[in-house]
Amino acid sequence: MSPKQQRGEATVELLLDTALRLYGEEGEQGLTVNAVTRASGVSLGSLYHHFGSIDGLVNALLVRWLERLLGEMLTALERSRTARTGVRALVRAYLSFVRDHPEAGRLLHSSRADRLGMAQAKQLRDAQEARLTPLAGWLQRYVDKGEIAPLSPPLLESLVLGPVIGASRRWLTLGDIDLDEAARVLPERIWRTVSADGS
């Protein structure tokens, strides 16, 4: 990699890190072009060169953290030996990620993420596809073994992740859910929902 490419990569990392820090400190209203360029010391032209717009920067930030979250979830699945332990590991990995990275969690569960996700659903889906395919494959393996109910992969993903996303969003915004309790309770409740025999 040339020195110019290295500088470009360092600039991208600085802009992404600055955007997340500003989001954590000031919320959505803190994510403006002026705030990011002022806090990072990166020129407006450089931000536009690398990301095209503030939405492009936020989209890249969302993809970056979504990929990290999916990576941790898949690592947890790979270490599990059964469908039941896999569901438990997946739930706990998600909740641990949110606890360990609350600013990124807030961004991933924000209305801005929802809006960008709707506006750029195909681009985000394509970026996630390499990560989501192993999750769908893992689920299908246990459907084929008769451990998980024979439902479509999108529905199974919704049944497994929906409660976890809901609990995470509530913890991040209201703080009225105990994540330790969620990590104890949700895996078995979710398992009973998706298991082939309901037990």
Side-chain angles (χ1 to χ4, degrees), residues 70-89:
L70 292 171
E72 289 189 22
M73 290 164 49
L74 290 172
T75 297
L77 284 179
E78 289 165 1
R79 294 180 181 150
S80 62
R81 296 180 188 200
T82 67
R84 187 178 209 150
T85 60
V87 167
R88 183 183 314 128

